[in-house]
């Protein structure tokens, strides 16, 4: 699956993934009010507003981008109606030929991780009948529980040609709390995130197709030096790079996350794209044309990245 | 909320939480077939079987126990119908006066963790209207992203009198992969899980009521020595102890997880209770009376724990 993602990035010359993480406050009044008129200020109303907002952004950007990354928390917060909107968003993106990276950050032990993996990137078997459930192409996974928690995802990747991105070095400031702790090792001390990185590279060996495996890594754009170090440490691991834009990452800092051919990573922006119309740079579009503002923000981000990578 | 849990444990003299983590293979044929007759071998059919199974186990055990711990993955695997069954299970348990520990192991950065916290232990605000969503009392949280990922949960705990259990030392064999790595520290080297433990104790300071805070810790029954060490390291942190029974934990090994008054921890058993009728010890009940087998398994586990703690 990561191979397909790489092909799609090359085809569109656009290593950008749009983070479809809608907060209610991002959604223009006219969409929210229309949804509330139908359903009241309920979970159903909020979920309908989210879905309508997503639909417009997908319509305006799908031809430019290889993939979307919906953050499931932003749907889960609206309960059952929200999760229905999540599933609908996955379907809409698939209909437009996009790859869907479900940002679910799940991770548990043995059979429990297997249940998550089956639900999200596999098929649920009910007696002799197999049913896809959430049906993303790739999901993010938390490594704190070790290989027991990750292996079931790798097995499902292998059986269904899907992928995962394991959290290695996250973009948030307090990722230093534990991820940057220095660990005592016979082969020389290294930070926890490097220890995780080496495991991720190892876990991916059995699902390698071409240069990269189906076990990728999350490495935050806000830590460019770590990104460069991890690129060297993990030659067969593709990177999902969050933290561009609103969180502070810039194209000029991101060259080191990519390989010498300008491949090896995809960069996520959420607020900077889906909420572009609220920023000064795109204010001229106005709330009515929020999706056009998102389209222009994708084009600008693509230009910013493409001009700096593979050099 | 942890204070309420402690009261309920004392009232029933039973530090047992029943893990309502139904796998389809646990559910007796007569329940599964009845559900499939109504809905076919679909997600709806599976979810109905799960709910019926839970209902019978709750009816048979609720008077004995202080709390249940549904593992959300086992519901999420059945998509929307499964998550509806999860919400119904939470409601049924509340109607019986039980505390619900949602085993969700969520954890993300800032606003995303806030969305999870709001959905599970807070109230979702849609404009000026507040709505509870999943409505558990306590949830489990993954610490890999550091305080950014945990603080939003603590804030929601504070505002709504709820609790969390942060993963410290999990029960699975590969918890050693990262959690047991030795970290270089000015105050002497210590393992990652001890580093996490000290942070958890610190994060709980602002939500302490009585001896224990509303920020608890998950410490696996399969690591009795670590449990004893953590009890000393975290005097104000209540423990959720998974891994009893099927995973190998026994009452005689668990005394060290409790404080000198026999409080300080609650022990989870899932398969050992909900699937008791399939084990040799309770086979005499038969599949038809699976819930009676679960009741007896709770009584036996209670006896095994109570006879070993607070000595």
């Amino acid at each position: 699956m990561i191979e397909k993602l790489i092909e799609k990035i090359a085809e569109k010359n656009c290593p950008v993934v749009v983070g479809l993480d809608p907060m209610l406050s991002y959604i223009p009044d006219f969409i929210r009010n229309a949804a509330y008129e139908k359903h009241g200020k309920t979970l159903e109303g909020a979920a309908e507003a989210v879905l309508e907002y997503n639909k417009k952004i997908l319509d305006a950007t799908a031809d430019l981008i290889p993939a979307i990354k919906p953050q499931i928390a932003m749907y889960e917060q609206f309960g059952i109606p929200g999760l229905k909107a999540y599933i609908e968003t996955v379907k809409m993106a698939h209909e437009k030929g996009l790859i869907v990276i479900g940002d679910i950050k799940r991770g548990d032990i043995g059979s429990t991780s297997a249940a998550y993996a089956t639900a999200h990137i596999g098929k649920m078997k009910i007696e002799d009948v197999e049913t896809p459930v959430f049906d993303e192409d790739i999901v993010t996974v938390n490594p704190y529980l070790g290989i027991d928690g990750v292996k079931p995802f790798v097995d499902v990747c292998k059986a269904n040609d899907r992928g995962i991105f394991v959290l290695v070095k996250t973009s948030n400031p307090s990722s230093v709390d534990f991820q940057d702790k220095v660990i005592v090792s016979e082969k020389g001390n290294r930070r926890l995130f490097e220890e995780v990185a080496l495991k991720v590279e190892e876990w991916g060996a059995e699902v390698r197709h071409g240069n990269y495996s189906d076990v990728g890594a999350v490495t935050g754009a806000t830590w460019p030096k770590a990104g460069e170090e991890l690129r060297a440490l993990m030659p067969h691991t593709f990177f999902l790079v969050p933290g561009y834009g609103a969180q502070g990452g810039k194209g000029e800092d991101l060259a080191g996350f990519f390989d010498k051919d300008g491949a090896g990573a995809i960069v996520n922006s959420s607020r900077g794209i889906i909420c572009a119309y609220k920023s000064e740079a795109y204010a001229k579009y106005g709330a009515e044309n929020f999706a056009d503002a998102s389209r222009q923000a994708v084009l600008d981000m693509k230009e910013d990245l493409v001009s700096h990578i593979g050099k």
Side-chain angles (χ1 to χ4, degrees), chain A:
Chain A
M1 178 52 70
I2 299 272
E3 219 179 0
K4 285 183 194 160
L5 180 62
I6 293 169
E7 277 167 24
K8 228 170 244 291
I9 293 168
E11 185 193 306
K12 300 194 173 179
N13 188 31
C14 186
V16 171
V17 52
V18 173
L20 275 180
D21 312 344
M23 310 269 277
L24 271 187
S25 60
Y26 294 178
I27 305 177
D29 289 351
F30 73 95
I31 292 182
R32 276 185 292 150
N33 290 335
Y36 298 149
E37 265 176 42
K38 273 171 75 179
H39 300 285
K41 291 170 185 168
T42 59
L43 300 176
E44 285 77 13
E48 174 152 323
V50 163
L51 194 59
E52 185 60 22
Y53 182 65
N54 284 355
K55 189 175 176 311
K56 292 235 153 62
I57 291 173
L58 274 175
D59 284 344
T61 60
D63 62 316
L64 303 175
I65 57 175
I68 60 161
K69 182 179 77 63
Q71 164 54 258
I72 201 169
M74 295 304 165
Y75 301 82
E76 197 165 310
Q77 67 181 335
F78 302 122
I80 298 295
L83 288 160
K84 282 185 183 169
Y86 179 84
I87 292 172
E88 275 307 305
T89 300
V90 173
K91 276 189 194 152
M92 286 194 301
H94 280 156
E95 280 163 16
K96 292 181 186 296
L98 302 182
I99 288 173
V100 177
I101 303 169
D103 198 354
I104 65 172
K105 295 190 179 66
R106 301 301 195 247
D108 210 293
I109 67 172
S111 57
T112 311
S113 258
Y116 279 130
T118 303
H120 288 278
I121 54 172
K123 291 197 179 87
M124 184 61 212
K125 208 169 170 184
I126 299 170
E127 312 301 328
D128 50 346
V129 181
E130 285 193 332
T131 313
V133 185
F134 289 93
D135 208 24
E136 302 96 322
D137 301 299
I138 308 176
V139 291
T140 55
V141 174
N142 187 307
Y144 188 68
L145 290 94
I147 184 64
D148 296 348
V150 177
K151 185 68 164 61
F153 282 94
V154 178
D155 292 343
V156 174
C157 283
K158 204 170 178 178
N160 297 275
D161 186 22
R162 305 285 172 112
I164 57 172
F165 286 112
V166 180
L167 305 185
V168 171
K169 173 67 179 156
T170 57
S171 60
N172 56 316
S174 77
S175 69
V176 300
D177 281 357
F178 305 123
Q179 297 166 24
D180 282 31
K181 291 290 175 203
V182 175
I183 276 175
V184 179
S185 157
E186 282 173 16
K187 292 168 192 157
N189 294 358
R190 54 189 173 219
R191 288 160 294 179
L192 175 62
F193 75 79
E194 293 170 294
E195 185 75 23
V196 176
L198 289 167
K199 287 285 186 189
V200 168
E201 181 79 7
E202 185 188 315
W203 296 338
E206 58 172 310
V207 284
R208 213 173 119 189
H209 311 280
N211 192 43
Y212 290 104
S213 89
D214 279 333
V215 180
V218 174
T219 57
T222 45
W223 310 104
K225 191 158 170 289
E228 207 169 318
E229 290 164 1
L230 289 170
R231 179 40 60 235
L233 202 62
M234 314 174 82
H236 306 108
T237 305
F238 194 84
F239 291 166
L240 170 63
V241 184
Y244 178 92
Q247 283 183 55
K250 286 184 225 129
E252 60 188 311
D253 301 327
L254 299 185
F257 291 75
F258 291 82
D259 63 27
K260 62 178 175 21
D261 303 318
I266 189 164
V267 182
N268 179 77
S269 174
S270 300
R271 204 181 340 161
I273 290 174
I274 69 173
C275 202
Y277 78 100
K278 287 204 174 192
S279 70
E280 214 182 298
Y282 304 99
K284 64 174 182 194
Y285 288 92
E288 285 288 326
N289 304 306
F290 71 96
D292 297 329
S294 295
R295 181 179 177 85
Q296 190 56 49
V298 169
L299 288 167
D300 293 344
M301 179 174 167
K302 169 183 168 173
E303 172 60 27
D304 180 38
L305 291 177
V306 171
S307 67
H308 288 102
I309 62 179
K311 296 293 154 66

